[in-house]
Amino acid sequence: MPLGQTEGVLLTVGTALVGATTYFFKKKQTLPFKLAHFAAWPVLGTGIILTCMPSHDQMADTLRQSGLADERKQAIASGAAADQLAAIQKVAGDSRPFKPSL
């Protein structure tokens, strides 16, 4: 699976932040350690997930080949998603904005 630019940047920055976390921990510098530790895991985790996760096109091809997804099922799923989105927009449009009572 080829590594895209986004995944490469996230993995590089995440790895650098993990290295900075280790460095600042050994130097007993608590504030830089906390900042690096706070940023390292979401960045590195996102990079790992994006690298390992197949793309939408790959998943669609796999489902078509296995027979689990055909044009009829995709149309039903698209219609259901559109109906759900319309229902959410209707509820959001009907609601009043939140006004905290003092």
Side-chain angles (χ1 to χ4, degrees), residues 41-91:
W41 300 115
V43 173
L44 185 61
T46 303
I48 290 171
I49 288 171
L50 289 176
T51 302
C52 297
M53 187 174 63
S55 69
H56 177 73
D57 296 333
Q58 290 172 335
M59 284 300 297
D61 290 342
T62 303
L63 289 172
R64 273 191 225 99
Q65 290 172 0
S66 67
L68 295 174
D70 56 5
E71 296 298 324
R72 185 182 63 82
K73 289 179 183 176
Q74 288 179 345
I76 291 170
S78 296
D83 292 343
Q84 289 175 348
L85 181 59
I88 291 170
Q89 289 174 340
K90 181 180 180 291
V91 169

Side-chain angles (χ1 to χ4, degrees), residues 1 5-7 10 19 21 30 34 46 64 70 80 85 96:
M1 167 177 342
Q5 182 178 5
T6 304
E7 293 90 352
L10 286 171
T21 300
T30 57
K34 289 177 184 178
T46 303
R64 273 191 225 99
D70 56 5
L85 181 59
R96 292 178 288 168

